[in-house]
């Protein structure tokens, strides 16, 4: 039996057939290992195959070379609901794990910093993330942390903001540099334009900020928070620059 993948094989019957390898090479462009396994079982119902066999075929014949690297400015959007795409090679996975990134010579932290992804962004599907969350709660590793472990540890913050956070801030209108950002949010713009109304309610009628928020909703139809109203009143946000004097 001739086999293009085992030309010099001493076995009369090769371990893998050409049809199997070609089929997996076609599916790897758009499917994960689990999806390939289901498609393989439908195509070859009489072949005994497992997920481990699929992985072995992919690694043995280097079928990842058929994957198409994605062209996107937002690599964090490659995390879909059911699968995740590697931003380097274009391979579809359930989880961009350290063993896969080891092929590219990167760790998960280095991978996120290279493409500007926030460190808290998960690189797995939503289903897998929920499963691990439940498993952590069962083992006592939930939101409260490890039982008996000190919780007052201060973790270092990232000095340079990743690209993902900067894009999100631009979309929300929260740029640091004035004149280069988008328009602020609607409620903030309304509060800035009607600061005199807030000052009048606060100083003349002596109303608390919570009541002022209700008055603003009745007058302008905007849901303003107590923090936003107090910042406009005390001058941390205003129409005269980043700061202005407290009203007399």
């Amino acid at each position: 039996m001739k086999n293009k993948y085992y030309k010099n094989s001493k076995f009369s019957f090769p371990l893998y057939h050409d049809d199997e390898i070609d089929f997996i090479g076609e599916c790897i462009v758009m499917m994960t290992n689990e999806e390939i396994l289901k498609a393989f079982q439908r195509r070859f119902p009489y072949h005994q195959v497992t997920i481990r066999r699929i992985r072995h075929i992919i690694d043995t014949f280097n079928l990842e070379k058929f994957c198409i690297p994605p062209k996107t400015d937002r690599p964090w959007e490659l995390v879909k609901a059911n699968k995740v795409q590697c931003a380097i090679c274009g391979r579809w996975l359930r989880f961009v794990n350290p063993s896969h990134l080891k092929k590219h010579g990167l760790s998960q932290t280095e991978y996120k910093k290279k493409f500007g992804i926030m460190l808290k962004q998960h690189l797995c599907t939503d289903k897998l993330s929920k499963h691990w969350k439940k498993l952590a709660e069962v083992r006592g590793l939930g939101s409260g942390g490890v039982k008996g472990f000190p919780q007052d540890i201060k973790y270092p913050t990232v000095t340079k903001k990743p690209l993902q956070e900067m894009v999100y801030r631009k979309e929300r209108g929260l740029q640091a540099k004035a004149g280069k950002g988008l328009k602020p949010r609607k409620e903030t713009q309304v509060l800035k334009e009607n600061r005199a109304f807030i000052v009048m309610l606060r100083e003349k009628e002596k109303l608390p900020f919570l009541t002022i928020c209700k008055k603003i909703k009745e007058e302008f139809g905007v849901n303003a928070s107590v923090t936003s109203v107090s910042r406009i009143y005390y001058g941390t946000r205003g129409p005269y620059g980043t700061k202005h004097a407290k009203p007399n």
Side-chain angles (χ1 to χ4, degrees), residues 112-129:
K112 291 180 179 180
K113 288 182 178 180
K114 180 179 179 180
F115 294 100
I117 304 173
M118 290 191 293
L119 296 178
K120 63 181 181 181
Q121 172 72 34
H122 59 80
L123 298 176
C124 61
T125 60
D126 296 339
K127 185 177 180 180
L128 199 59
S129 178

Side-chain angles (χ1 to χ4, degrees), residues 53-170:
R53 181 185 175 94
I54 296 291
R55 291 173 182 167
H56 187 263
I57 293 174
I58 293 171
D59 295 338
T60 303
F61 303 103
N62 190 23
L63 298 182
E64 291 184 353
K65 62 184 178 182
F66 298 111
C67 297
I68 303 173
K71 296 180 180 179
T72 177
D73 297 332
R74 301 185 177 187
W76 53 88
E77 294 181 352
L78 298 174
V79 181
K80 309 294 182 182
N82 298 323
K83 53 187 177 181
V84 185
Q85 190 175 20
C86 177
I88 301 175
C89 63
R91 176 76 190 283
W92 288 101
L93 304 162
R94 287 198 307 165
F95 174 43
V96 184
N97 49 26
S99 61
H100 176 76
L101 294 175
K102 191 176 181 181
K103 300 177 183 178
H104 305 304
L106 296 173
S107 62
Q108 281 191 321
T109 305
E110 294 171 348
Y111 174 81
K112 291 180 179 180
K113 288 182 178 180
K114 180 179 179 180
F115 294 100
I117 304 173
M118 290 191 293
L119 296 178
K120 63 181 181 181
Q121 172 72 34
H122 59 80
L123 298 176
C124 61
T125 60
D126 296 339
K127 185 177 180 180
L128 199 59
S129 178
K130 292 178 181 179
H131 171 71
W132 285 342
K133 185 177 180 180
K134 291 181 181 179
L135 195 63
E137 291 176 355
V138 171
R139 297 179 178 179
L141 303 172
S143 59
V146 183
K147 295 180 180 179
F149 193 79
Q151 301 297 323
D152 56 348
I153 299 176
K154 295 182 179 180
Y155 297 94
T157 57
V158 181
T159 55
K160 183 180 178 181
K161 293 181 180 179
L163 178 62
Q164 181 181 4
E165 185 176 351
M166 293 173 64
V167 170
Y168 285 166
R169 288 179 66 85
K170 281 186 178 182

